[in-house]
Amino acid sequence: WRIFEIHELQSVVQSARATKINTHVRAGVSMLYAHWEGFVKNASNAYVSYLAHRSELNRDLLPCFVALGMKSKIAETQESNKSAVFVSAISFLLAEMDKPVRLPKAGAIKAESNLSSDVFVNIAGWIGVDTSRYSTRFNLIDQTLLGSRNKIAHGEFLEIDPERFQVLTSDVLEMLRWFKTDIENAVVTEAFLKRTSAPMTV
């Protein structure tokens, strides 16, 4: 439905009269950002929810998922400099390694209101998604997409060339498809599991 709606935005801008095109472009940029943030956040949470229902053992999962499941316990050490707090946290972590991961079934991943490239990298880090191919789009995310959306949201007049809007739309659609594919591939290949090397044979 996101892809359908984004294509609708493209069509509206393409067919808009010259006197109304700026209005449609500004609305379109705001919606593009909404779909970028909404999909990354919701798809990430769906992935975490899927893993929560699988109940894999902590020791079998990538460290990012173990950390996500134990984040609240780890956070306790940030508020204290007492040895007892740290020892308790480490004891808890060690004891949990042979137990099923305790991942939240909803709302584990936050977009922090502004899905900048830094926030995106942080989210990807929680779910083990490689962001290397997204790096060429970081300036587009921060300046063209998020920066323009913020100006529009704060009531500033912003004129964006319709052709530039079409390019931005194509770039955002591609990133959404990348992210969808990354998560689907991770599920199919069970990339969330630690890979252990096979023992050498003599």
Side-chain angles (χ1 to χ4, degrees):
W1 71 271
R2 294 184 190 277
I3 290 175
F4 175 79
E5 189 163 291
I6 290 172
H7 282 310
E8 284 292 300
L9 293 171
Q10 281 185 306
S11 298
V12 168
V13 169
Q14 287 172 343
S15 60
R17 288 182 293 179
T19 55
K20 295 184 177 181
I21 198 165
N22 285 333
T23 300
H24 290 303
V25 168
R26 286 196 297 275
V29 169
S30 298
M31 289 301 296
L32 275 180
Y33 171 79
H35 283 308
W36 164 244
E37 178 185 309
F39 183 71
V40 169
K41 181 177 68 176
N42 291 331
S44 298
N45 278 312
Y47 182 29
V48 172
S49 178
Y50 165 75
L51 292 180
H53 285 89
R54 281 182 61 110
S55 298
E56 300 284 351
L57 298 182
N58 280 299
R59 70 167 56 259
D60 295 330
L61 288 168
L62 293 179
C64 59
F65 297 109
V66 179
L68 186 60
M70 301 186 185
K71 187 165 62 169
S72 60
K73 189 66 177 180
I74 296 171
E76 293 177 6
T77 62
Q78 298 176 352
E79 302 171 3
S80 175
N81 195 34
K82 294 182 178 179
S83 60
V85 174
F86 282 86
V87 171
S88 173
I90 294 301
S91 298
F92 175 81
L93 299 182
L94 293 174
E96 289 289 307
M97 293 312 292
D98 288 316
K99 296 179 182 178
V101 66
R102 301 184 185 186
L103 290 170
K105 290 185 170 62
I109 304 297
K110 311 292 184 185
E112 301 177 27
S113 299
N114 285 304
L115 191 59
S116 64
S117 60
D118 286 343
V119 173
F120 173 70
V121 169
N122 186 55
I123 289 174
W126 281 120
I127 60 173
V129 169
D130 181 10
T131 61
S132 56
R133 70 170 167 175
Y134 298 87
S135 61
T136 58
R137 304 281 174 86
F138 284 174
N139 187 64
L140 176 143
I141 292 171
D142 294 332
Q143 302 301 322
T144 311
L145 185 59
L146 177 57
S148 298
R149 172 262 188 184
N150 285 344
K151 289 179 180 178
I152 293 167
H154 294 149
E156 295 183 36
F157 178 81
L158 187 66
E159 187 170 342
I160 299 176
D161 183 82
E163 292 183 3
R164 181 71 187 93
F165 173 74
Q166 298 296 343
V167 173
L168 176 62
T169 300
S170 297
D171 287 340
V172 170
L173 279 171
E174 187 171 42
M175 289 193 298
L176 294 178
R177 289 189 174 103
W178 284 350
F179 199 66
K180 173 178 178 287
T181 301
D182 286 339
I183 291 179
E184 287 177 340
N185 286 345
V187 170
V188 170
T189 64
E190 296 189 331
F192 45 83
L193 297 176
K194 287 192 299 188
R195 302 300 180 188
T196 55
S197 300
M200 294 182 62
T201 55
V202 180

